[in-house]
Amino acid sequence: MSIGSIMNGINSSLRNHQVANTQHNQSIQKIASGSKYPSASYGPAAYAIIQRTYANIGATEQANTNAQNTNAMLSTASGAAGNAVSMLSSLRSSILEAANDTNGTTDLAALQGTVNQTISGLNDNVDSATYNGMRLVDGSKTVAVQGAYGYTNVQLGNLTSQGLGLMDSEGNSTINLTDKSSLASALDTVDSALNSALDQATTIGAAQQGLGYQSANLTTQAENLYNTVSTEGDTDIAAEATKLASSNTQDQMALWAIKQGMASLSQQTLGALNNHSRGAALSLLS
């Protein structure tokens, strides 16, 4: 066998070694990343589609987080509105009780004390209804509620005693039980305040209901996107493991062929050198 044919064999084996080594590295990277397209070099179009899908997943999950955070904030406001409804219902009962002619002066004074305490408690209720340092039901807060096609602004009402008409600008109660002639007016004032609190509670409840539906839809959307990217991009571990084993075998065969070729080349080279030495010796003797 000539030296030229041996070199051709060695070069062919080197190419086989490089191909097998590349396949080996690709399989390792796919198995390690879990993706058929760990970089754009594995398929630019598919890689771009998968990365855009991941971006959509991130946006969808963030939208879901936003919806859940808003729902948590509205839950605080809803609790305050519910407390206001309960307190105003109690206040209404006190006014109706005061209208009973069986009450004496002492009884009316005691009921007035209860009314004043309830009116003051409405302000305490508002003060405690905060989320992330923000007061929610003092009339200063508008909440952007995410919907299917954008955001809807929900104005949270003013549930303070003054905002409900139960306290004047100087901090005095507008409900006076000691003057029976004003009880009908007081009852109208409390009924109006109660309707305002109920409207606030139902507005918040409707917003929360919408957020619940939106969160469920976003969760389903994210799951579908994950399924899509999994179908398109997830590595078939078993198949890649088989390819890895095959590339290892091919690489070992190529290395063995290179080794054998190098041994043959060494023998051919030594043989040529020996022949050259014998020829030179005969020339000297002649």
Side-chain angles (χ1 to χ4, degrees), residues 9-10 13 16 251-263:
I10 291 174
S13 297
N16 291 338
D251 189 38
Q252 291 173 3
M253 292 175 62
L255 289 174
W256 180 85
I258 292 171
K259 182 178 179 180
Q260 292 298 110
M262 293 301 293

Side-chain angles (χ1 to χ4, degrees), residues 258-271:
I258 292 171
K259 182 178 179 180
Q260 292 298 110
M262 293 301 293
S264 297
L265 180 62
S266 176
Q267 292 175 355
Q268 286 287 83
T269 302
L270 288 174

